Amino acid sequence: MAIGNNSRARELGSKVAYEIYVRSFSDSTGNGVGDLRGITQRLDYLADLGVDYLWITPFFVSPLKDGGYDVADYRNIDPVFGTMDDFDELVREADARGIGLMLDMVFNHTSDQHEWFQRARAGDPRYQAYYLLQDPEPGATADDPGKPPTNWESKFGGNAWTYSPEMGKWYLHLYDASQPDLNWRNPEVRSELASVLRFWKDRGVKGFRFDVVNNISKPVTFEDDLEGDGRRFYTDGEHVDEYLRLLVREGGIDGMMTVGEMSSTTIERCISYSNPDNHELAMTFSFHHFRVDNVGGNRWSKTRPDIPMLREAFRSWQEEMTAAGGWNALFWTCHDQPRPTTRFGDDTTPESWRRSAKLLPLCTFLLRGTPYIYQGEELGMTNPGFTSIDQYRDVESINYHRIMQEEGGKSEREAFEIIAYKSRDNGRTPVQWDDTPNAGFTTGEPWIGVSENYTWLNAQAEIDDPDSVLAFYKRLIALRKAEEIIQAGDVRFLDSPSDKVIAYERTLGDERVVVQCNFSGEPQPRIALEGGELLVSNYDNAAEGDMLRPWEGTAQVWRG
Ligand code: ISL
């Protein structure tokens, strides 16, 4: 093991985080939107599950064009989500249960409703220097501003520049036009953002998640991308490490629980961001395992996941990050992805649903890193099976539904099928708490529809069932906390006996754990090993003979 820092691995490796997409978690007021008090009311459930940290998605003042990732005021809470008193109460109550809060810092961009952008728009040069503005070509008018400064594409579709007639300038937005990118070259921007961290740390926050933080360092001059959508010019830019170190130092958060969301990144860069010697972040999220069901590299496509590719994504990130002292966040999904049971498992029969909803965490919880559960995943929640685009709320999904038809030559139905499989809203339907109307999420009209399967797939039904997906998550969390080998052991992938099987081993001293996972509904060959005891399985008994059963995951241990 090359890390040479076993105590850090034990510390980070013994923790489990849980992501709350606040709008869809639990509504305490009946206005149809989840809120902070809703979280407080569910803390006993979360404590019983056994998680250590709650990453809560943005609840700051926001016009909610992008679900709160468009922040208009970093220091105040949007009334739709509650008040500062609600927040303080949540911190206290979570603390009393040994749970720390992690806040989501959206520092690549603000909302266009943020005071900084409003002032920039009104002509204040000090605030214009907070954003990335470019002059238009000569002769530009409000009606005809000419060509945008570059051909870069916004991640949500369309050009990444919008012309502001008030300023007479173009501004860059890697996301929606209502999310102007901040200018991190400006030291004032950097210190403003560091002070936001201190503000929340002083209120008792225990950690932070940084949104798309590897996109903060943009080039000095902007040029067309003749090969792609522009991302190669701003992804993992020249100064990201330096800016992160500064932010961590000035924000006073070194050594805290931090995770950076790294979009289109590399293993090499993530080693740098998460190696403790660099005093940047504790760990990183990367998305390579979400590429396994892109057809021809295109995310807006639908196919079953390619398991050898999935194995290679896990293998390379696990082995290479470990070898160089990096640390991975382990996750199957988040608020930007469809439900993993539908996507990587099989939710078409009750049996395959239950098995595969347990296989997925078994496969990742025994890897090296810190697991993140996304709300409802621990229940095995599925894509909702919406039937019309009117049921979707997400700006990205609605844009791409149109773009696929206008530019991709798809019929409405073809475009819709892809949205129904890949849309972020598939993971944003309300958490299914019980079998009462709206799944116990709200007494009002939910902001987005509830999946119809809530009548049988809900927390209340699973809490009392020892064979439930929920019970299995609890077991895995307890196992991770009990076993040093899972927290801190080395990791090595084993040759797969079939292209549907992912197998790896963990080792620590003379202990060894071997994990084998069958990502299919058919029996698949397994690596037959002598001796060892069953550590955990999603079947009642150990696999016998040389086959894994449908969706079987098994871990065996040798205690040296
Ligand atoms: O959402 C995606 C895929 O559906 C990604 O491209 C996503 O935009 C990317 O992972 C960045 O996500 C983060 O920043 C976005 C916000 O919309 C996402 O919710 C957030 O997780 C802009 O702030």
Side-chain angles (χ1 to χ4, degrees):
M1 187 156 64
I3 38 236
N5 189 345
N6 199 40
S7 64
R8 178 172 182 266
R10 285 192 65 181
E11 165 62 21
L12 294 177
S14 63
K15 300 291 190 279
V16 177
Y18 184 96
E19 183 195 351
I20 292 186
Y21 189 67
V22 56
R23 295 157 101 194
S24 305
F25 187 68
S26 188
D27 172 21
S28 71
T29 63
N31 68 356
V33 181
D35 48 45
L36 295 176
R37 289 185 73 101
I39 303 175
T40 307
Q41 290 166 359
R42 305 286 182 182
L43 281 173
D44 286 336
Y45 168 86
L46 296 165
D48 186 51
L49 178 59
V51 299
D52 303 281
Y53 290 99
L54 301 181
W55 150 26
I56 306 177
T57 61
F59 47 78
F60 314 107
V61 176
S62 167
L64 296 175
K65 290 256 173 60
D66 183 23
Y69 284 88
D70 43 336
V71 179
D73 180 351
Y74 291 105
R75 290 182 172 81
N76 276 300
I77 293 170
D78 198 287
V80 80
F81 299 125
T83 63
M84 203 51 100
D85 284 346
D86 295 340
F87 177 77
D88 291 339
E89 187 193 12
L90 173 58
V91 172
R92 266 196 318 276
E93 292 295 322
D95 207 40
R97 291 164 178 81
I99 296 176
L101 300 191
M102 296 169 72
L103 298 201
D104 201 329
M105 297 289 115
V106 189
F107 284 173
N108 175 68
H109 45 265
T110 67
S111 159
D112 61 358
Q113 301 305 304
H114 196 289
E115 191 190 344
W116 300 337
F117 196 72
Q118 296 287 318
R119 290 191 182 204
R121 205 174 238 167
D124 185 336
R126 172 170 168 203
Y127 289 97
Q128 290 195 347
Y130 274 42
Y131 293 93
L132 295 158
L133 307 182
Q134 290 285 290
D135 288 325
E137 291 172 323
T141 62
D143 290 338
D144 183 13
K147 252 177 52 181
T150 69
N151 65 350
W152 298 3
E153 282 168 38
S154 147
K155 310 256 186 194
F156 291 162
N159 190 275
W161 298 90
T162 289
Y163 185 70
S164 156
E166 298 93 334
M167 294 191 278
K169 290 177 198 293
W170 296 88
Y171 65 88
L172 179 69
H173 54 86
L174 298 185
Y175 294 89
D176 190 59
S178 66
Q179 294 166 295
D181 279 51
L182 283 164
N183 174 17
W184 275 73
R185 280 182 193 277
N186 182 344
E188 214 174 300
V189 168
R190 302 194 298 252
S191 55
E192 284 277 6
L193 297 175
S195 81
V196 170
L197 295 180
R198 293 194 299 272
F199 174 87
W200 289 107
K201 187 184 167 196
D202 289 348
R203 290 201 95 94
V205 160
K206 297 290 191 303
F208 294 95
R209 179 254 189 195
F210 293 96
D211 192 60
V212 290
V213 75
N214 64 326
N215 288 345
I216 58 180
S217 171
K218 313 293 197 290
V220 184
T221 52
F222 296 99
E223 55 185 291
D224 276 343
D225 188 350
L226 304 177
E227 290 164 26
D229 63 5
R231 72 183 65 196
R232 67 198 175 95
F233 289 112
Y234 57 74
T235 301
D236 295 315
E238 200 185 341
H239 299 288
V240 179
D241 287 293
E242 175 196 332
Y243 294 159
L244 279 173
R245 272 194 292 274
L246 258 165
L247 190 68
V248 163
R249 200 178 59 229
E250 273 195 48
I253 62 165
D254 198 14
M256 277 178 91
M257 172 69 177
T258 53
V259 57
E261 185 200 28
M262 305 298 172
S263 127
S264 304
T265 189
T266 63
I267 297 176
E268 193 196 353
R269 294 310 311 144
C270 286
I271 289 168
S272 184
Y273 301 141
S274 65
N275 186 311
D277 295 343
N278 289 348
H279 301 278
E280 297 176 36
L281 303 174
M283 65 193 79
T284 53
F285 283 121
S286 59
F287 295 106
H288 290 58
H289 59 295
F290 293 140
R291 296 180 182 171
V292 303
D293 53 1
N294 290 349
V295 178
N298 179 9
R299 182 170 149 239
W300 296 106
S301 55
K302 181 179 171 182
T303 184
R304 289 297 296 169
D306 178 325
I307 303 304
M309 208 174 155
L310 183 65
R311 174 192 183 274
E312 178 53 18
F314 285 150
R315 186 205 62 77
S316 54
W317 281 83
Q318 284 285 303
E319 294 183 356
E320 294 171 32
M321 288 280 273
T322 301
W327 193 261
N328 285 298
L330 307 169
F331 66 113
W332 279 110
T333 188
C334 65
H335 66 285
D336 290 331
Q337 299 292 330
R339 289 285 176 186
T341 313
T342 306
R343 182 181 191 178
F344 298 102
D346 178 0
D347 63 5
T348 56
T349 72
E351 178 65 15
S352 63
W353 165 75
R354 191 181 289 254
R355 287 276 178 242
S356 62
K358 294 179 182 177
L359 171 78
L360 300 179
L362 190 151
C363 181
T364 48
F365 264 66
L366 302 188
L367 288 170
R368 189 179 157 91
T370 303
Y372 284 69
I373 300 168
Y374 173 63
Q375 64 184 37
E377 177 192 334
E378 78 281 13
L379 305 172
M381 275 180 65
T382 62
N383 283 3
F386 285 162
T387 51
S388 148
I389 193 68
D390 305 335
Q391 291 169 285
Y392 287 86
R393 304 284 174 265
D394 168 36
V395 53
E396 179 191 59
S397 310
I398 293 166
N399 286 351
Y400 276 101
H401 178 252
R402 179 177 45 75
I403 292 170
M404 280 191 275
Q405 295 173 71
E406 284 176 8
E407 293 165 28
K410 298 242 176 335
S411 69
E412 193 284 328
R413 269 301 95 178
E414 287 165 340
F416 179 76
E417 293 270 301
I418 293 172
I419 296 294
Y421 178 61
K422 282 277 176 77
S423 164
R424 310 194 289 181
D425 274 351
N426 291 312
R428 296 177 175 184
T429 62
V431 171
Q432 296 167 201
W433 294 106
D434 56 38
D435 62 2
T436 62
N438 294 319
F441 161 72
T442 180
T443 53
E445 186 62 33
W447 70 274
I448 188 168
V450 177
S451 175
E452 281 173 13
N453 59 18
Y454 78 92
T455 50
W456 61 269
L457 197 174
N458 61 63
Q460 192 186 44
E462 295 198 23
I463 282 168
D464 299 325
D465 173 4
D467 188 37
S468 65
V469 178
L470 178 65
F472 196 69
Y473 269 82
K474 287 186 199 171
R475 223 170 112 199
L476 289 173
I477 294 172
L479 191 66
R480 184 163 256 283
K481 294 194 174 295
E483 297 284 349
E484 189 179 344
I485 185 168
I486 299 175
Q487 300 159 8
D490 203 355
V491 59
R492 190 173 70 91
F493 275 63
L494 303 174
D495 288 340
S496 289
S498 132
D499 66 2
K500 296 292 182 215
V501 173
I502 296 180
Y504 61 88
E505 70 174 2
R506 305 290 310 273
T507 47
L508 185 74
D510 11 330
E511 280 196 354
R512 178 180 187 222
V513 168
V514 172
V515 179
Q516 303 194 57
C517 300
N518 174 7
F519 281 83
S520 82
E522 286 83 45
Q524 297 290 339
R526 72 185 187 110
I527 310 167
L529 297 159
E530 293 294 315
E533 316 155 30
L534 186 65
L535 185 65
V536 61
S537 160
N538 60 350
Y539 275 74
D540 293 338
N541 46 21
E544 280 176 13
D546 49 13
M547 298 302 269
L548 289 166
R549 288 162 284 187
W551 300 108
E552 179 167 8
T554 163
Q556 290 164 277
V557 63
W558 286 260
R559 303 275 183 199

